[in-house]
Amino acid sequence: MELKIGENISRYRRERHMTQEQLARSVGVSPPAVSKWETGSSYPDVTLLSPIARALGITVDILLSFQEELTEEEVDSLYRELQGLFGRRGFSAGQQRCEELLREYPNSAGLKLTVGGLYQTMLGTLPSEELTEERVQEILRLAAQLYSQVRASGDPRYFAAATVGLAAFRLSENRLEETEALLDSLPKVEIDPNELYPSLYLAQGKSEQAEKLLEAHLFQLLRSVSLALHSLASLSQERDGTDRALFLCGLSLRLAELFDLEDVSGELEYSAVLLMKQGRTREAVDRLEQYAEKLLAFRTDYSSHPIFPHLSFRTSPEKLDSSRRMAAKALELTPAFEPLQKEPRFRDILEKLAPSSAL
């Protein structure tokens, strides 16, 4: 972390309308010594830090620019900065900046949660030659370590999100007992307060707050229904074959169409897999083209949405680009699509999702 002692001495001395001579007398040094501190030519002896801070009316932490925690607004600002850096300069540059910030703010649970999430969502900014299973797992392990540290911090603001992130990673490792223990550690809520707050806000005359909360609650319920249908389709495919699984995927897609939802890429990709299993290659490629179109046209601004105009998402163009690149790589590696590798329409889909990468 860069020391800014000289800048702070100059700033707080001027705020207190002190001259360099007055500060020098207060701490028992010569005026040229103070001048050297302020210009960065030298640093004060460690034994002088407390006297200098007292003379300036500040703490030693402020004098040293030490900040143990970041505010939520500062974390949000850093999140936007890091997203842009990953997108513009690639994963290595983004990771280097993340590590610098983690060293500067080692006790910030919010920053650790943010960096862990970025490591997961920005994998698509890795160069094609680095986008290997080993490298991806290495990065995901770093994210899991950060989630573990957030949980250990005991900060209630981030505990649940870190627990879910870590549980998802443990599940991907097939460490089922640990996954169950993590999920069991989450607070159990008998009554969802989101069902009561709208009534409270309406009674208080806060109609806009009630509307925002109802929109967010409805959106989350729809996502939960979609996820349940997807999981049922997967179970059905294993037990009953592909017909019922396709029917359940179709229900999820119709639900998304009814509520004008954007994120239906999972259902489109999975239904393409099911169609390939039935030998319906042309229909599968049709579905994959729809999948690519949805990813390319994905909307993060819901301000003109007929149902969810108050929703907002922390999704940058860089994150969307990373997601598309990862999607292209996943399509190419999906066993069900292996027969399509030389199919021109399939190659066009990959090129549209990752136009500048040699997958």
Side-chain angles (χ1 to χ4, degrees):
M1 179 173 63
E2 180 185 359
L3 290 175
K4 298 182 179 179
I5 297 176
E7 293 179 21
N8 290 336
I9 291 174
S10 177
R11 170 188 170 188
Y12 291 106
R13 176 181 62 77
R14 294 173 189 277
E15 286 186 1
R16 292 179 69 84
H17 305 291
M18 295 177 68
T19 64
Q20 290 182 341
E21 290 78 6
Q22 289 172 327
L23 177 58
R25 285 198 301 272
S26 296
V27 298
V29 298
S30 66
V34 175
S35 177
K36 288 181 179 180
W37 296 344
E38 294 188 355
T39 59
S41 300
S42 66
Y43 294 118
D45 187 271
V46 67
T47 59
L48 292 175
L49 296 180
S50 292
I52 294 171
R54 283 195 297 270
L56 298 176
I58 58 176
T59 66
V60 173
D61 283 352
I62 293 175
L63 179 64
L64 296 175
S65 297
F66 175 77
Q67 185 176 358
E68 184 177 14
E69 181 60 282
L70 292 165
T71 66
E72 293 186 16
E73 291 76 14
E74 288 170 328
V75 171
D76 281 341
S77 177
L78 288 173
Y79 173 81
R80 291 189 293 272
E81 172 199 326
L82 291 167
Q83 267 196 334
L85 185 60
F86 275 101
R88 291 190 306 273
R89 297 181 53 195
F91 194 93
S92 294
Q95 184 178 9
Q96 180 179 348
R97 177 59 176 151
C98 285
E99 291 173 354
E100 290 172 358
L101 289 168
L102 290 171
R103 287 194 296 270
E104 188 169 356
Y105 304 106
N107 299 313
S108 175
L111 177 64
K112 290 178 179 179
L113 183 67
T114 293
V115 171
L118 284 167
Y119 282 173
Q120 288 183 291
T121 58
M122 302 306 288
L123 285 169
T125 61
L126 280 167
S128 299
E129 62 273 13
E130 291 186 35
L131 198 54
T132 63
E133 179 67 20
E134 294 77 13
R135 178 68 169 132
V136 168
Q137 287 303 310
E138 174 194 345
I139 293 167
L140 292 178
R141 280 192 292 272
L142 290 175
Q145 290 170 11
L146 290 169
Y147 292 148
S148 295
Q149 292 172 23
V150 174
R151 280 172 47 82
S153 75
D155 192 321
R157 294 173 297 173
Y158 310 115
F159 181 84
T163 299
V164 171
L166 185 58
F169 180 68
R170 294 290 179 248
L171 183 60
S172 72
E173 296 181 305
N174 205 35
R175 294 162 65 171
L176 305 184
E177 290 185 3
E178 290 184 45
T179 302
E180 185 174 13
L182 285 164
L183 294 177
D184 286 344
S185 73
L186 289 168
K188 302 300 185 289
V189 180
E190 298 296 331
I191 299 176
D192 186 351
N194 286 331
E195 297 178 1
L196 298 176
Y197 272 117
S199 297
L200 172 64
Y201 290 150
L202 287 172
Q204 293 174 329
K206 301 176 181 177
S207 58
E208 185 173 352
Q209 283 182 260
E211 187 177 12
K212 288 180 180 178
L213 188 57
L214 286 167
E215 287 178 18
H217 189 44
L218 174 59
F219 189 81
Q220 188 58 51
L221 288 173
L222 290 169
R223 288 175 65 93
S224 296
V225 171
S226 179
L227 178 60
L229 286 170
H230 188 92
S231 299
L232 282 171
S234 298
L235 289 170
S236 179
Q237 182 213 335
E238 296 174 5
R239 186 187 60 218
D240 307 319
T242 53
D243 286 340
R244 184 167 183 267
L246 275 169
F247 168 73
L248 291 166
C249 275
L251 286 180
S252 184
L253 290 169
R254 282 154 58 190
L255 183 71
E257 182 179 1
L258 179 63
F259 285 90
D260 193 17
L261 300 178
E262 291 288 319
D263 190 9
V264 295
S265 54
E267 286 72 21
L268 288 167
E269 181 189 11
Y270 183 53
S271 60
V273 170
L274 296 173
L275 289 166
M276 287 297 294
K277 289 181 180 295
Q278 291 187 345
R280 299 158 64 181
T281 304
R282 183 184 296 275
E283 292 174 76
V285 178
D286 290 342
R287 196 60 58 90
L288 288 176
E289 286 181 337
Q290 295 175 35
Y291 168 69
E293 288 170 6
K294 281 292 184 181
L295 286 178
L296 291 169
F298 187 76
R299 173 177 60 197
T300 58
D301 179 11
Y302 273 60
S303 58
S304 60
H305 196 282
I307 305 171
F308 306 111
H310 294 99
L311 286 187
S312 61
F313 301 92
R314 295 199 314 177
T315 305
S316 69
E318 292 82 11
K319 184 175 179 180
L320 289 175
D321 183 63
S322 172
S323 299
R324 291 165 187 148
R325 288 167 56 86
M326 286 295 292
K329 189 69 174 180
L331 288 180
E332 189 174 54
L333 297 177
T334 299
F337 301 139
E338 188 174 349
L340 302 176
Q341 294 301 320
K342 296 182 180 180
E343 163 69 41
R345 290 172 65 199
F346 183 73
R347 302 309 303 180
D348 285 345
I349 290 167
L350 299 183
E351 179 62 25
K352 286 177 181 177
L353 292 175
S356 62
S357 64
L359 291 173

